[in-house]
């Protein structure tokens, strides 16, 4: 059974965009932490003076996925890839821990 709620299901980039739209869709602007087209170097520069716990989410260079960069408690800039899965998002391509939406994933990891 097809679990994607749109007819174009199965195309990684379209699935990622649709999930992002559904999970980030609000009546107002996108969250400050979502900068879809921010290059890695610019994100690193922005985070270089940020407080620990500050993060940014952008589209990954690998179509259909996201990248997260954050400032650790030790004031280092770290990064990770977020894989789009049929039921949501995971930190690993073959990961079994899947978060239903991007915001929940970030909140649980961030806490």
């Amino acid at each position: 059974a097809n679990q994607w709620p749109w007819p174009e299901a199965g195309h990684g980039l379209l699935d990622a965009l649709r999930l992002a739209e559904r999970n980030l869709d609000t009546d107002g602007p996108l969250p400050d932490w979502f900068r879809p087209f921010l290059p890695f170097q610019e994100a690193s520069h922005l985070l270089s003076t940020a407080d620990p716990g500050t993060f940014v989410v952008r589209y990954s260079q690998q179509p259909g996925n996201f990248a997260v960069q954050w400032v650790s408690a030790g004031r280092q800039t770290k990064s990770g890839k977020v894989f789009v899965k049929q039921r949501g998002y995971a930190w690993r391509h073959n990961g079994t821990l899947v978060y239903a939406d991007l915001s929940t994933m970030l909140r649980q990891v961030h806490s």
Side-chain angles (χ1 to χ4, degrees):
N2 187 354
Q3 296 179 16
W4 296 105
W6 45 83
E8 304 90 354
H11 184 282
L13 180 58
L14 288 177
D15 291 341
L17 289 172
R18 295 288 194 280
L19 281 170
E21 287 172 2
R22 188 177 73 193
N23 291 316
L24 298 172
D25 189 24
T26 62
D27 292 333
L30 290 174
D32 289 339
W33 49 260
F34 187 58
R35 307 283 177 98
F37 302 105
L38 187 68
F40 176 85
Q41 297 292 15
E42 285 185 47
S44 296
H45 178 71
L46 283 174
L47 294 172
S48 67
T49 58
D51 292 328
T54 304
F55 63 94
V56 65
V57 177
R58 58 186 177 76
Y59 290 133
S60 172
Q61 288 182 342
Q62 180 183 10
N65 296 307
F66 295 94
V68 180
Q69 286 172 260
W70 68 93
V71 180
S72 71
R75 301 198 68 83
Q76 294 179 320
T77 301
K78 308 262 184 168
S79 62
K81 188 178 289 184
V82 176
F83 293 92
V84 177
K85 311 294 268 177
Q86 278 200 342
R87 295 180 329 271
Y89 305 92
W91 286 112
R92 299 184 188 280
H93 178 65
N94 60 353
T96 56
L97 179 57
V98 176
Y99 297 86
D101 60 67
L102 198 52
S103 296
T104 300
M105 178 185 198
L106 294 169
R107 267 196 303 277
Q108 288 184 0
V109 172
H110 184 59
S111 58

